[in-house]
Amino acid sequence: MSTNKAPVLITGAAGRVGGVGKLVVELLRASGLPVRALVRRDDERAAHLRGLGAEVVVVDLTKSEEVLPAVQGCRLVFFSTSVSSNYLEATAVMAAAARACPGIELLVNLSQMTVGTMDLTHVTESPQQRLQWLSEQVLNWSGVPVTHLRPTVFQENPLFWGLAAKSIADSGAIALPFGRGRTNPVAVNDVAEVAAAILLEPSKYVGKAVELTGPRSVDMYDLVEEYSAALGRHISYVEIPSETWEDKVLKQSGLPDHAYQHVATMAKLHETGDYDRFTNSVQEVLGRPAASISATIKARRSNFPIPLTT
């Protein structure tokens, strides 16, 4: 149990961005670290965080006059924020605030693995991924000790979770425009556990980018076997053209335009093999293999709206 009294600031603590922030709060509180949980609204999710013993602050990440007091007095920061058009602005505000606080030992930035292959002339069509790449540059320029945490794609991403569940409910199959493209999504819980482990030993990770994947890279024909095992029923994969999928599936999802463009780009990048990645980082940091999507569905069955057995 830590004896350091300076709190760890966790943004995105209310449970968005896949719920990573909330899980990091829970893990750090279980380890005895004091936590300052930053939320946008004081609601039942904030009450849950207070119940864990976290100090809760209500802050708009785009307002420096609110962010600076939240950072002051902290020694570690876990920074994550939702997919949005003001992502870069929020990152720049956090970088400026952290730079103004000399006691910061490490800022862990939740990014995305696609960013690792981007530069000024090699970008994707996703405005969100462009903002995430720029955000990493801003944090690097700030001089704040930083670690970039780069998951491939969450297993709980709409592509593999909400949209997949609806497709299964409608047809008993997962229809996606991935072709035979391979993918390796990582569990939110694994990302949160790695983030917590880094925050518990910050000096080991300063200046590093830690890339996270699931246990194996497979195409959707193999991945649906994991859905079948978890749900206790046969699930098949149906290849569908990108245009058809966007018109019949994605446009019906109700996603805001910025998030819509992000998910649409991710689907295209899957088809071209950009998510065909594997790292052993989960094993190296946590001492155990990364969770399969089958294990994640079973562990979070109440959040996956398909019965486990027929």
Side-chain angles (χ1 to χ4, degrees):
M1 182 175 293
S2 173
T3 58
N4 195 313
K5 301 299 183 183
V8 183
L9 178 65
I10 309 295
T11 75
R16 301 291 175 88
V17 200
V20 178
K22 180 176 74 71
L23 291 174
V24 174
V25 172
E26 293 172 353
L27 291 164
L28 294 183
R29 288 300 301 136
S31 296
L33 268 67
V35 169
R36 182 175 294 166
L38 188 153
V39 300
R40 283 293 305 272
R41 298 176 184 84
D42 196 347
D43 54 19
E44 68 279 359
R45 295 172 299 174
H48 169 73
L49 298 171
R50 289 192 183 94
L52 297 172
E55 173 194 359
V56 175
V57 293
V58 181
V59 171
D60 182 338
L61 282 171
T62 65
K63 295 183 177 180
S64 59
E65 68 274 19
E66 296 182 9
V67 173
L68 179 59
V71 178
Q72 287 173 329
C74 295
R75 65 185 184 93
L76 300 165
V77 177
F78 175 73
F79 178 71
S80 67
T81 188
S82 300
V83 171
S84 68
S85 58
N86 62 12
Y87 186 96
L88 178 58
E89 181 182 6
T91 305
V93 169
M94 177 57 69
R99 183 174 181 174
C101 298
I104 297 296
E105 298 175 19
L106 183 67
L107 185 152
V108 178
N109 171 47
L110 182 59
S111 185
Q112 189 180 76
M113 191 179 291
T114 311
V115 171
T117 62
M118 293 172 64
D119 58 30
L120 286 170
T121 59
H122 298 86
V123 297
T124 76
E125 295 178 7
S126 165
Q128 177 64 27
Q129 289 173 345
R130 291 170 181 247
L131 295 180
Q132 287 177 307
W133 180 78
L134 287 169
S135 292
E136 285 201 9
Q137 310 312 302
V138 168
L139 288 167
N140 292 341
W141 298 335
S142 73
V144 174
V146 64
T147 297
H148 299 296
L149 197 57
R150 296 175 180 162
T152 41
V153 54
F154 293 147
Q155 292 172 357
E156 294 87 344
N157 181 280
L159 291 168
F160 301 102
W161 204 260
L163 295 178
K166 185 177 187 306
S167 183
I168 292 169
D170 290 345
S171 64
I174 297 177
L176 284 169
F178 292 2
R180 298 302 298 252
R182 300 168 75 86
T183 186
N184 197 358
V186 62
V188 163
N189 185 70
D190 284 351
V191 177
E193 286 196 27
V194 169
I198 291 172
L199 291 164
L200 287 167
E201 297 185 280
S203 63
K204 291 174 57 176
Y205 297 96
V206 173
K208 294 184 178 181
V210 180
E211 299 191 330
L212 303 174
T213 73
R216 62 191 185 116
S217 183
V218 296
D219 64 24
M220 285 301 301
Y221 289 98
D222 286 331
L223 197 63
V224 290
E225 294 180 7
E226 294 195 28
Y227 285 87
S228 298
L231 300 172
R233 55 189 286 193
H234 175 70
I235 308 298
S236 58
Y237 167 55
V238 177
E239 296 184 33
I240 183 172
S242 294
E243 297 80 5
T244 303
W245 179 75
E246 287 194 35
D247 287 340
K248 294 188 175 181
V249 178
L250 195 56
K251 286 183 179 178
Q252 311 307 315
S253 66
L255 289 172
D257 183 65
H258 183 87
Y260 175 98
Q261 293 299 328
H262 180 52
V263 174
T265 299
M266 293 177 75
K268 293 174 183 176
L269 292 175
H270 271 92
E271 185 177 15
T272 55
D274 289 74
Y275 288 93
D276 182 10
R277 303 287 297 276
F278 173 79
T279 74
N280 204 36
S281 297
V282 172
Q283 176 75 51
E284 292 170 354
V285 176
L286 301 180
R288 63 161 179 79
S292 67
I293 197 165
S294 177
T296 300
I297 292 171
K298 289 178 180 178
R300 305 188 69 175
R301 65 183 68 184
S302 63
N303 294 321
F304 194 86
I306 298 292
L308 288 178
T309 57
T310 56

